Each structure stands twice: as structure tokens, then as C-alpha cells.
Amino acid sequence: MFMKIKSAEFIKSATAEAHYPPDDMPEIAFMGRSNVGKSSLMNSLLNRKGLARISRTPGRTQLLNFFIINNAFRFVDLPGYGFARVPVSIKREWGAMVTHYLANRARLVLSIHIVDSRHEPTRQDLELHEWLVHHQKPVLTVATKSDKLGRSDLGRNLKRMREQLAGEVIPFSSLSGDGREQVWSSVQQAINGLYPLT
Ligand code: GTP
Ligand code: MG
């Protein structure tokens, strides 16, 4: 099932809660390591090439970026974690900023956790996943860049990830569009208040 995208617009960037838009409609947040493909996933779902900035330089997105879709729900592009060259003080700020958002947003209906289908989940991937489950946040894991692997390697990695991250992992590629329909159906379910907790 694909959702018809009538409109998709950038609203604003924020760091502190005072600058978030009002907590008055469902939000779907995109999170994961720097450079994993968060912005690409968002753009691919929305069929809008340049809506969320895609960069070759990891760690570019340092703010919470809010987008409004069909005047009915929002996508929130979160800054990536795990970029080695970021100083410790900034890493701490990053953690505080993102955890504050995730912990306090009443209308956060789905956290889309994006991992790289080629690699084992990192320690930070596992920590984030545990944090989301522990705080009873509805979470969907998406293993992106699936186009970079052959069928059997992809199948093996997905099986391992489903064990390590306990739950469904959807393979996805922003190049081929693989997995778009499945991600959309989870988003739709979450907006309708029917997404199951892990
Ligand atoms: P930051 O905001 O910097 O943390 O990065 P991000 O997670 O938003 O990643 P972004 O979407 O900017 O993509 C990073 C790089 O990966 C870009 O060069 C993309 O073109 C590439 N990329 C993203 N998704 C895919 C995919 O599904 N397949 C392939 N082959 N490349 C991808
Ligand atoms: Mg990005």
C-alpha cells in the first residue's frame, strides 16, 4: 500500500523543545548512524529528491528537521550518531537533544531505526534499540542499502539482525525502491494508532 503524497514541505529545524512545532499531530522519526541513509529513506518514501538534504559528508545533519506531509502528519529527520570525528562534548549534546525529543513527544507514533544491511549492528545501534523498547516506543527497523548485497548475503544478514534486534527488520534500498511499500504500510498503521509494541 502506498500513500498518496499530496504535499510534503520542510517546516523548520530545532534543537530545543521551545522551537519544536506544536505536539498536535502524529510524528514519525527517522534515526540511525551518520551516513546510514536516513534522509535518503525519507526522500524515497515521499518521492521528493531534494527535500531532506543528502550529503557525502557524514554528520552534516545536526538538528531535528521537521517536515509536514499532507497537512496531516510529520516526518522528523534526526541527526545521525556514531560519527567518530565529532568531539565528545557534541556527542553528549546530541544524545541529550535526541533523547529529549524521543522521550517527550506525545504524538511520536513510530521510530524508524535505520541500520546498514551490510554490517552488524554497532554498539550504539543496539543501545538505541534497547532504549526505544525499554521506553515502550513503537519501533520499526529498516536495513538500508540492500542494493549493495547479493540475495544470500542479504538474507543471512537480515536473519542475524532479526535475532539481535528482536523483531521485524525490513530490507530497503533508496536506489531500487525495495521495501518502500512495507515501510509505508507500517507508517500508515502507526498513524492509525495500530502499530504493535515490541
Ligand atoms: P547524515 O544526515 O549525514 O547522518 O546522513 P544520512 O543518514 O541522512 O544519509 P544520507 O541519506 O545523506 O545518505 C548518505 C549516503 O549514502 C549518500 O551518498 C547516499 O546517496 C547513500 N545512500 C543512502 N541510501 C542508499 C541506498 O539505499 N543505496 C545506496 N547504494 N546508497 C545509499
Ligand atoms: Mg541526513
Side-chain angles (χ1 to χ4, degrees), residues 20-47:
Y20 298 172
D23 199 354
D24 59 359
M25 59 174 77
E27 287 182 349
I28 295 95
F30 295 77
M31 62 205 77
R33 296 180 65 195
S34 294
N35 215 40
V36 74
K38 297 175 291 299
S39 302
S40 300
L41 169 60
M42 259 192 46
N43 287 337
S44 160
L45 291 175
L46 297 172
N47 264 322

Side-chain angles (χ1 to χ4, degrees), residues 43-181:
N43 287 337
S44 160
L45 291 175
L46 297 172
N47 264 322
R48 301 288 199 280
K49 266 198 172 145
L51 191 64
R53 287 256 303 280
I54 296 174
S55 63
R56 282 171 200 286
T57 327
R60 279 292 291 278
T61 318
Q62 300 281 10
L63 305 161
L64 312 175
N65 291 310
F66 293 86
F67 299 84
I68 187 163
I69 322 302
N70 293 354
N71 282 318
F73 60 95
R74 298 192 194 101
F75 277 3
V76 187
D77 194 11
L78 303 183
Y81 53 83
F83 180 47
R85 273 166 39 207
V86 172
V88 178
S89 60
I90 303 214
K91 278 188 192 158
R92 255 191 242 118
E93 257 169 55
W94 177 91
M97 178 170 76
V98 170
T99 352
H100 185 89
Y101 169 80
L102 294 173
N104 292 291
R105 213 57 176 157
R107 304 295 306 276
L108 176 65
V109 295
L110 187 62
S111 292
I112 300 189
H113 184 198
I114 301 135
V115 294
D116 192 318
S117 60
R118 295 169 295 175
H119 308 305
E120 280 221 45
T122 65
R123 175 201 277 272
Q124 280 168 306
D125 289 335
L126 297 170
E127 280 175 7
L128 173 62
H129 189 83
E130 269 172 34
W131 189 97
L132 292 167
V133 171
H134 177 78
H135 290 84
Q136 298 196 297
K137 302 295 175 187
V139 56
L140 171 70
T141 308
V142 172
T144 194
K145 309 196 186 186
S146 68
D147 55 277
K148 296 205 179 211
L149 284 175
R151 266 178 81 97
S152 67
D153 285 346
L154 180 62
R156 191 199 54 219
N157 288 3
L158 287 171
K159 181 166 179 289
R160 196 177 53 197
M161 283 181 191
R162 286 178 183 128
E163 288 161 7
Q164 287 177 318
L165 299 170
E168 180 54 357
V169 179
I170 296 177
F172 178 84
S173 163
S174 62
L175 289 194
S176 72
D178 179 31
R180 272 184 87 226
E181 191 167 342

